[in-house]
Each structure stands twice: as C-alpha cells, then as structure tokens.
Amino acid sequence: MDRDEKYMRMALALARRGRGKTSPNPMVGAVVVRGNAVVGKGYHHRAGEPHAEVLALRQAGKKAKGATLYLNLEPCDHFGKTPPCTQAILGAGLKRVVAGMKDPNPRVSGRGIRRLRRAGVRVEVGLLEGECRELNAAFCKFIRTRKPFVILKAAVSLDGKVATRSGDSRWVSGQESRSYVHRLRSAVDGVMAGIGTVLRDDPLLNVRRSGKRAVRQPLRVIVDSTLRLPLRSRIAQTASQFRTLVATTPAAAPAQVRRLQRANVEVLIVKNRRNGKVSLGALMEELGRRGILSVLLEGGPTLSASALQEKIVDRILLFVAPKIIGGTESLGAIGGRGILRMREALKVEILRVRRTGPDLMIEGKPLYG
C-alpha cells in the first residue's frame, strides 16, 4: 500500500464513524499529513455541525501550512449551514489536496476543485473512487434523483425459504445476522415492510441494541394498500414512541384513517397502480421529498416482488442460513407470479460475500438492463 492510499483509507475509516448520523449530508473523513506525520484528523458528525475538513484543520493548527489534506469527497465551495470548506483550506495554507471523488451533485461538482486549483493548491481526484462512492451510495443517488437508496433485505434457508408452511419465520437467520440488521436499521433513514409481514409476524421494526449509547430510530414505513393495519399491532401500539407512516391508497376507509391517526400513525394516501396496490415509485418520490435518503426494505415475498418489479431496489442483502425448510407451501423470498423463461431472470452482480456467525451474507446489485 502506497502512502496516499494509506491516508485515504484512514479518511474512509474516519468517515464511517458518522454512519447513520450525517443524513442528509454525506459521510466524510479528513486527514492532514505533514511530512510523514498525521497532524490533524476529523469526520463529519452530523448535519449542521462542522465538516470533516474544518475539524481536521482545527486539530492541525499551524502545522497545516504546507501539508496535504486527504478526504473521501471533494470539499464544498458553497454556503449552507456552514461556510465553504475551500475557504478553510485556503486559509490554512495547504499545498495539496487528495480527494476520493467529485461531489455527485451536478450543480456543484468540480467547483471546489477549480477554486483550489485557481488559488495554486495541487488537487488530485479519484484515489479509491469506487470505495468512496460505495460509502456514500445513498447520498449519491439521492442528490441526483431526489429518491432514497433502497436495500432489500431477506433471510432465507439454503433452499430459499423465508418461512415454514405455517408462516413461522422466527428465526431463519442466526443472532449475528440479526444483530447486523439492527446496526443497519440504525444507519438508514427508513425501514419499510408490507402489511402481510405485519399481520404474520407483528414486528416492531425498530432498532434494538445492547449498550447505554442512544440509538437512532428510523422512520417505520408500512405499505398497506387497503389499510388493514390493526390498532392492536405492535406497530400501532408503539407509534407514539417511534415515528410511523402507513402508505395506502384512495381505497382506504376514512374511518380507519382517523382511527390510526388518533393512535399517532401518519397515514399517507399514495396513488395506486392498476392492480390497486400502492405505487412504490410514487412512495419513493414522497419519501425523497421528506429528506429520506435510504430505506431498508424488510418486506415479505409480496412487497419484495413488487419492489423488484418497479425497479426501486438498489442493493439486495441476503442472509443465507444453513437450514433446510422444504415444502411447496413454504414461502420463498420473492413472491408474485414469477417469470416464464430463464432468460427473463433478473441478473444480480455479486458485490461481496461474508460470514455472519453460521450464516452467509450476500450483497448484490440488481442489473435491471
């Protein structure tokens, strides 16, 4: 590993410390190096607070003069809740900046780089760009489309089942996989499930983690085309404690809307598709307008099939447990009618495979074509 890569990986590691806390901003880490010594480090803690570059330069102080700054994202050159970072960089007297990638926002992309170069700072862009983009994949998509980045998660047996023929699904995956999912929930802005999952499993869909540190709770989103969510469900019973939104269609009974609203459940009327189901595309647009950058889809086979059909899924996260369930009546991970010919199958690019306890975690990217 060469010197530049070493410090860029340090910046990426710092950036990850902000996971689940910076939305709607990206995760950014910064490292100031003078000679062979790190003289300043910082990462963006949360929206509205100082950016990573500013924190790193503050720590470096006068040692920043003539030094190199490594960061995973192009420094900003516009006023928001904080001043432009290019201003701080020029004020510190840095001679070189190494950025992992340009700002994905087409309206500002390259502006920070150009300002620094015009001022005589040597700027290099693109080191570990793939890793930098993957770290902020949700931000990159949102800033371009104003729609959230959707991760479809499922836990399956070796034969692809998510539940037994009686509907029992607790638990397909092991404790390590379930703990990973709770960490993932704390990192996203929303967790979404379908009414079928709610009726079958009565989940909470919140973050439950051990330790004394406060955890960030995502918005719970239930897709319920005819508004069947029971008031006795744990989702409705805890709506005053955890933000809860139910997406339904104009077919919902007004009396049920009022009952859920009185239980602190927000009811959102979304246009329906031809089959009467909630349009997931329209729902994503509404969530985007609310500043939701990322959604973890934990729906059952029906919602998962609809999400893939409407092409809203950006990543697939599959936990494969070393178990065999069997049975033609047992539920598979993806519902719907399925395809007629193998050539019509949706292809998936496998990004990584790792162990989570006894399970395998497979992460992939759907290739819609």
Side-chain angles (χ1 to χ4, degrees):
M1 183 187 302
D2 67 18
R3 169 192 170 95
D4 284 347
E5 182 179 335
K6 170 186 172 181
Y7 293 124
M8 183 60 74
R9 291 200 179 280
M10 190 179 295
L12 282 165
L14 285 164
R16 292 187 189 100
R17 295 187 187 180
R19 191 181 299 277
K21 304 170 187 174
T22 62
S23 183
N25 291 349
M27 293 173 277
V28 182
V31 179
V32 182
V33 179
R34 184 171 181 175
N36 292 316
V38 173
V39 295
K41 296 189 294 184
Y43 70 95
H44 186 41
H45 290 246
R46 55 182 54 84
E49 294 190 7
H51 289 186
E53 304 94 309
V54 173
L55 293 174
L57 290 171
R58 281 181 188 172
Q59 190 180 96
K62 293 181 179 179
K63 294 179 181 178
K65 188 173 178 64
T68 297
L69 171 68
Y70 295 86
L71 70 165
N72 55 296
L73 182 67
E74 172 187 359
C76 66
D77 189 44
H78 57 278
F79 282 90
K81 292 183 178 179
T82 59
C85 290
T86 51
Q87 183 176 299
I89 291 170
L90 294 175
L94 289 163
K95 71 172 184 180
R96 180 173 176 243
V97 172
V98 180
M101 60 177 284
K102 286 185 177 182
D103 190 318
N105 187 341
R107 293 180 298 176
V108 299
S109 180
R111 275 176 48 179
I113 295 167
R114 288 192 295 272
R115 182 177 180 188
L116 293 176
R117 284 175 174 166
R118 283 196 298 265
V121 178
R122 180 182 166 193
V123 182
E124 299 168 26
V125 184
L127 180 62
L128 300 181
E129 183 173 359
E131 294 181 42
C132 293
R133 287 192 177 278
E134 185 62 24
L135 175 66
N136 281 305
F139 174 77
C140 290
K141 179 186 177 181
F142 182 81
I143 209 70
R144 289 184 290 100
T145 67
R146 313 310 293 184
K147 295 179 183 179
F149 186 89
V150 178
I151 305 166
L152 189 160
K153 167 259 170 184
V156 302
S157 60
L158 278 176
D159 54 339
K161 306 295 185 178
V162 297
T164 67
R165 59 189 173 87
S166 68
D168 180 24
S169 61
R170 293 185 178 177
W171 298 102
V172 175
S173 57
Q175 181 59 53
E176 293 88 346
S177 297
R178 299 199 299 276
S179 295
Y180 183 92
V181 170
H182 279 281
R183 292 196 297 273
L184 186 55
R185 284 180 184 177
S186 70
V188 297
D189 295 333
V191 174
M192 185 165 72
I195 186 60
T197 296
V198 174
L199 295 175
R200 183 178 64 249
D201 298 337
D202 195 22
L204 273 171
L205 299 179
N206 65 340
V207 179
R208 300 182 296 281
R209 294 173 63 180
S210 59
K212 295 181 179 180
R213 287 196 308 171
V215 295
R216 176 174 175 267
Q217 295 291 346
L219 172 69
R220 302 183 301 182
V221 181
I222 307 301
V223 180
D224 185 0
S225 299
T226 55
L227 211 55
R228 293 182 289 155
L229 180 66
L231 289 172
R232 66 180 181 278
S233 66
R234 294 204 293 173
I235 290 289
Q237 290 290 315
T238 57
S240 58
Q241 184 179 358
F242 305 113
R243 294 178 301 142
T244 305
L245 181 149
V246 175
T248 189
T249 67
Q256 176 68 347
V257 171
R258 291 191 293 271
R259 282 192 289 267
L260 288 172
Q261 288 173 335
R262 285 195 293 269
N264 293 302
V265 175
E266 181 183 358
V267 179
L268 175 68
I269 307 296
V270 181
K271 73 177 182 180
N272 56 286
R273 302 169 65 197
R274 289 181 180 177
N275 60 4
K277 303 293 185 181
V278 167
S279 166
L280 298 179
L283 176 57
M284 292 304 108
E285 290 177 2
E286 176 57 34
L287 293 178
R289 282 191 285 271
R290 294 168 180 237
I292 301 296
L293 269 66
S294 54
V295 170
L296 178 62
L297 195 162
E298 297 193 57
T302 301
L303 183 60
S304 295
S306 296
L308 290 169
Q309 184 181 21
E310 293 197 49
K311 301 181 180 180
I312 68 164
V313 176
D314 299 287
R315 291 289 185 275
I316 296 172
L317 197 60
L318 200 65
F319 294 91
V320 183
K323 301 174 182 177
I324 300 291
I325 293 175
T328 57
E329 297 177 25
S330 301
L331 290 173
I334 308 299
R337 296 186 64 191
I339 60 172
L340 289 173
R341 300 171 181 84
M342 188 56 69
R343 65 172 180 266
E344 298 169 353
L346 174 64
K347 294 181 174 60
V348 177
E349 176 187 352
I350 302 300
L351 301 177
R352 59 186 60 86
V353 179
R354 55 169 284 197
R355 293 288 294 268
T356 51
D359 305 330
L360 279 183
M361 183 179 76
I362 303 172
E363 184 176 355
K365 177 182 178 181
L367 304 175
Y368 295 113

